[in-house]
Amino acid sequence: MTLQAIAETRWNIVIGGRSVEVAARYPVENPSTGRLLASVPDCSKDDVDRAVRAAKAAQTAWGALPPRRRGALLRAYAGVVREHREELASLDAVDGGFALEMMRRDVDAGIELIELFAELGLALGGRTIPVSENLHFTNNEPYGVVARIGAFNHPAFFALSKIAAPLMAGNSVILKAPDQTPLSSLRLAELAIDVLPQDLFITISGRGQTAGRAIVRHPEIRRIGFIGSTETGRAIQRDAAETGVKHISLELGGKNAQIVFADADLEKAAQGAVSGMNFNWTAGQSCGSTSRLLVQESIAEAVTERVAELVSAIRVGHPLDEATEMGPLVSEAQLRKSEYAIKRAQEEGARVVAGGGRPASVAPGGWFIEPTVLADVKRGSFVEQTEIFGPVLSIVTFATDDEAVDIANGVEYGLTATIWSSDVTRALTTARRVEAGYVIVNGGSRHYWGVPFGGIKASGVGREESTDELLSYTEVKATTVILS
């Protein structure tokens, strides 16, 4: 989709199978230039209420369908999305500043998860419990209307993958589009018109303090899934508690560690450190980015040199350029956070061994910064403790296994961890000791669909991308039939 086409499109929400105008709109910027890209609906509390009422009316018939029938309709929707792959990827590339090829992969991954959950439908069958001579059984029943609140860094992927489980479980879904990158989420709701039942899936756009808060506080929404910052996650918990008893799952921040022991395959570990930072995918703007590289002292120099070499080779450019490997950050605010972190790290004794400034390969304008590697980062320093959410990788050294674990666990977060060692006992012992919800041994940080993904501590509650997520969008009802 071209810049002109995006600017000329009248972006609206869809209710009742048609485009609906709302009273207010807000601007969305192009991160490659910093200029206006489009204007989108800034939904009010009344707009949210209208959407929820429509979604509630749609849910009853949908929830009554057998799971296999729901799965067939979801697969049909996935087929329509596949036909619009290039359009959706282009929207995210322009809207978020992400490399086009990576956004194609995001759309593909979202489709895969819709198809995965369509296959998992029979997991909703409940069970029988032989506790007496009578019949005791359970059913997994949908909540009704649920809300999914997405993040800016994987717009189409989060929209597709995070509506999949609640829809398959028999709910209708209100999707809150990310403030900064709402376009693909709005378009996905339009693509659902001719495939899914009317009002089953409604996208709401609007700034978080109004539209997002109205969704969280709506009395008809008792199940909410959120992806975003820890601070916003806590605010959602507070708001929800004030207006009802709600089930909330949260995928929040991360300051994830890759631990490289001296007996590891150093080349694979260096490559894993770079891929795990998601430089190419989201310019490091990912809660799963392994932004702390913990390296044993005896190999620190060699690993640092190789990582710096790999990062320096990343091509930064316009997201629609097929040669681009990393685009700009999503906003000026995100750019300033990275710039501040680099400056603060140097003041605290760290060395910039790759990147650190604005790339010479791009024209003036936009929120560009080079992928950056910091060496000699001190344990407990600002950049070692703080989630930067940008392309800034910190290298910290350790002497012993115990010290590596202490450093890895010495932050408030606990989302992912990666361990590199040729000693399986050492690797698995370390995996057991690290405080993280998702651990990979001898591989770059990546997701495997069907394996529960989620964090502990300040990184959130709940698990996604698996049967755990599907069942979390249901409530268990137990029934007893007296037979004697």
Side-chain angles (χ1 to χ4, degrees), residues 179-196:
D179 293 16
Q180 304 97 320
T181 55
L183 301 184
S184 63
S185 296
L186 291 167
R187 181 64 177 132
L188 284 166
E190 294 176 348
L191 295 177
I193 291 175
D194 296 327
V195 189
L196 296 178

mmCIF file of all heavy atoms in Angstrom, residues 179-196:
data_model
loop_
_atom_site.group_PDB
_atom_site.id
_atom_site.type_symbol
_atom_site.label_atom_id
_atom_site.label_comp_id
_atom_site.label_asym_id
_atom_site.label_seq_id
_atom_site.Cartn_x
_atom_site.Cartn_y
_atom_site.Cartn_z
ATOM 1 N N ASP A 179 -1.832 2.583 19.771
ATOM 2 C CA ASP A 179 -1.938 4.019 19.483
ATOM 3 C C ASP A 179 -1.064 4.423 18.301
ATOM 4 O O ASP A 179 -1.503 5.140 17.399
ATOM 5 C CB ASP A 179 -1.491 4.843 20.699
ATOM 6 C CG ASP A 179 -2.413 4.703 21.892
ATOM 7 O OD1 ASP A 179 -3.228 3.755 21.904
ATOM 8 O OD2 ASP A 179 -2.319 5.525 22.813
ATOM 9 N N GLN A 180 0.214 3.965 18.312
ATOM 10 C CA GLN A 180 1.182 4.434 17.323
ATOM 11 C C GLN A 180 1.037 3.737 15.972
ATOM 12 O O GLN A 180 1.387 4.310 14.944
ATOM 13 C CB GLN A 180 2.616 4.226 17.834
ATOM 14 C CG GLN A 180 2.919 4.887 19.171
ATOM 15 C CD GLN A 180 2.784 3.889 20.320
ATOM 16 O OE1 GLN A 180 1.878 3.065 20.331
ATOM 17 N NE2 GLN A 180 3.700 3.962 21.264
ATOM 18 N N THR A 181 0.548 2.486 15.963
ATOM 19 C CA THR A 181 0.528 1.699 14.730
ATOM 20 C C THR A 181 -0.830 1.013 14.558
ATOM 21 O O THR A 181 -0.922 -0.217 14.595
ATOM 22 C CB THR A 181 1.646 0.633 14.762
ATOM 23 O OG1 THR A 181 1.502 -0.161 15.962
ATOM 24 C CG2 THR A 181 3.024 1.278 14.750
ATOM 25 N N PRO A 182 -1.895 1.777 14.322
ATOM 26 C CA PRO A 182 -3.238 1.191 14.308
ATOM 27 C C PRO A 182 -3.720 0.678 12.948
ATOM 28 O O PRO A 182 -4.760 0.030 12.872
ATOM 29 C CB PRO A 182 -4.113 2.375 14.742
ATOM 30 C CG PRO A 182 -3.408 3.568 14.168
ATOM 31 C CD PRO A 182 -1.929 3.255 14.256
ATOM 32 N N LEU A 183 -3.010 0.964 11.861
ATOM 33 C CA LEU A 183 -3.599 0.790 10.530
ATOM 34 C C LEU A 183 -3.909 -0.656 10.182
ATOM 35 O O LEU A 183 -4.988 -0.967 9.682
ATOM 36 C CB LEU A 183 -2.684 1.423 9.473
ATOM 37 C CG LEU A 183 -2.399 2.924 9.646
ATOM 38 C CD1 LEU A 183 -1.565 3.443 8.478
ATOM 39 C CD2 LEU A 183 -3.686 3.725 9.787
ATOM 40 N N SER A 184 -2.974 -1.574 10.417
ATOM 41 C CA SER A 184 -3.239 -2.968 10.038
ATOM 42 C C SER A 184 -4.354 -3.570 10.882
ATOM 43 O O SER A 184 -5.140 -4.394 10.388
ATOM 44 C CB SER A 184 -1.965 -3.809 10.138
ATOM 45 O OG SER A 184 -1.477 -3.864 11.467
ATOM 46 N N SER A 185 -4.473 -3.160 12.131
ATOM 47 C CA SER A 185 -5.555 -3.680 12.980
ATOM 48 C C SER A 185 -6.917 -3.228 12.467
ATOM 49 O O SER A 185 -7.885 -4.001 12.467
ATOM 50 C CB SER A 185 -5.363 -3.216 14.427
ATOM 51 O OG SER A 185 -4.180 -3.745 14.989
ATOM 52 N N LEU A 186 -7.002 -1.976 12.024
ATOM 53 C CA LEU A 186 -8.249 -1.486 11.440
ATOM 54 C C LEU A 186 -8.564 -2.220 10.144
ATOM 55 O O LEU A 186 -9.719 -2.592 9.885
ATOM 56 C CB LEU A 186 -8.145 0.025 11.188
ATOM 57 C CG LEU A 186 -8.106 0.902 12.444
ATOM 58 C CD1 LEU A 186 -7.688 2.328 12.078
ATOM 59 C CD2 LEU A 186 -9.459 0.920 13.155
ATOM 60 N N ARG A 187 -7.554 -2.461 9.340
ATOM 61 C CA ARG A 187 -7.770 -3.153 8.067
ATOM 62 C C ARG A 187 -8.188 -4.609 8.286
ATOM 63 O O ARG A 187 -9.040 -5.140 7.553
ATOM 64 C CB ARG A 187 -6.484 -3.095 7.243
ATOM 65 C CG ARG A 187 -6.596 -3.765 5.880
ATOM 66 C CD ARG A 187 -7.594 -3.061 4.985
ATOM 67 N NE ARG A 187 -7.641 -3.671 3.658
ATOM 68 C CZ ARG A 187 -8.765 -4.007 3.028
ATOM 69 N NH1 ARG A 187 -9.947 -3.781 3.599
ATOM 70 N NH2 ARG A 187 -8.711 -4.544 1.829
ATOM 71 N N LEU A 188 -7.637 -5.260 9.296
ATOM 72 C CA LEU A 188 -7.990 -6.652 9.566
ATOM 73 C C LEU A 188 -9.455 -6.804 9.951
ATOM 74 O O LEU A 188 -10.093 -7.813 9.621
ATOM 75 C CB LEU A 188 -7.083 -7.217 10.660
ATOM 76 C CG LEU A 188 -5.665 -7.570 10.199
ATOM 77 C CD1 LEU A 188 -4.747 -7.785 11.390
ATOM 78 C CD2 LEU A 188 -5.677 -8.795 9.295
ATOM 79 N N ALA A 189 -10.007 -5.822 10.641
ATOM 80 C CA ALA A 189 -11.438 -5.872 10.955
ATOM 81 C C ALA A 189 -12.278 -5.736 9.690
ATOM 82 O O ALA A 189 -13.330 -6.379 9.557
ATOM 83 C CB ALA A 189 -11.791 -4.769 11.955
ATOM 84 N N GLU A 190 -11.812 -4.926 8.734
ATOM 85 C CA GLU A 190 -12.528 -4.816 7.458
ATOM 86 C C GLU A 190 -12.502 -6.145 6.695
ATOM 87 O O GLU A 190 -13.499 -6.545 6.090
ATOM 88 C CB GLU A 190 -11.906 -3.712 6.606
ATOM 89 C CG GLU A 190 -12.067 -2.313 7.170
ATOM 90 C CD GLU A 190 -11.344 -1.257 6.335
ATOM 91 O OE1 GLU A 190 -10.539 -1.633 5.453
ATOM 92 O OE2 GLU A 190 -11.579 -0.062 6.578
ATOM 93 N N LEU A 191 -11.369 -6.829 6.734
ATOM 94 C CA LEU A 191 -11.243 -8.094 6.004
ATOM 95 C C LEU A 191 -12.124 -9.192 6.593
ATOM 96 O O LEU A 191 -12.428 -10.177 5.922
ATOM 97 C CB LEU A 191 -9.786 -8.557 6.002
ATOM 98 C CG LEU A 191 -8.801 -7.667 5.251
ATOM 99 C CD1 LEU A 191 -7.382 -8.207 5.381
ATOM 100 C CD2 LEU A 191 -9.179 -7.540 3.771
ATOM 101 N N ALA A 192 -12.539 -9.019 7.846
ATOM 102 C CA ALA A 192 -13.378 -10.031 8.493
ATOM 103 C C ALA A 192 -14.845 -9.930 8.095
ATOM 104 O O ALA A 192 -15.618 -10.869 8.340
ATOM 105 C CB ALA A 192 -13.254 -9.914 10.009
ATOM 106 N N ILE A 193 -15.260 -8.834 7.458
ATOM 107 C CA ILE A 193 -16.679 -8.577 7.212
ATOM 108 C C ILE A 193 -17.341 -9.707 6.438
ATOM 109 O O ILE A 193 -18.446 -10.149 6.790
ATOM 110 C CB ILE A 193 -16.856 -7.238 6.448
ATOM 111 C CG1 ILE A 193 -16.493 -6.053 7.360
ATOM 112 C CG2 ILE A 193 -18.283 -7.089 5.939
ATOM 113 C CD1 ILE A 193 -16.517 -4.707 6.653
ATOM 114 N N ASP A 194 -16.697 -10.198 5.395
ATOM 115 C CA ASP A 194 -17.332 -11.188 4.527
ATOM 116 C C ASP A 194 -17.042 -12.634 4.930
ATOM 117 O O ASP A 194 -17.477 -13.567 4.242
ATOM 118 C CB ASP A 194 -16.881 -10.972 3.071
ATOM 119 C CG ASP A 194 -17.339 -9.629 2.524
ATOM 120 O OD1 ASP A 194 -18.430 -9.181 2.919
ATOM 121 O OD2 ASP A 194 -16.602 -9.035 1.714
ATOM 122 N N VAL A 195 -16.314 -12.823 6.049
ATOM 123 C CA VAL A 195 -15.905 -14.178 6.428
ATOM 124 C C VAL A 195 -16.457 -14.581 7.795
ATOM 125 O O VAL A 195 -17.016 -15.662 7.956
ATOM 126 C CB VAL A 195 -14.366 -14.313 6.441
ATOM 127 C CG1 VAL A 195 -13.956 -15.767 6.607
ATOM 128 C CG2 VAL A 195 -13.753 -13.718 5.200
ATOM 129 N N LEU A 196 -16.292 -13.706 8.774
ATOM 130 C CA LEU A 196 -16.740 -14.004 10.130
ATOM 131 C C LEU A 196 -18.111 -13.390 10.384
ATOM 132 O O LEU A 196 -18.487 -12.409 9.732
ATOM 133 C CB LEU A 196 -15.735 -13.449 11.145
ATOM 134 C CG LEU A 196 -14.326 -14.056 11.114
ATOM 135 C CD1 LEU A 196 -13.438 -13.372 12.141
ATOM 136 C CD2 LEU A 196 -14.362 -15.558 11.347
#
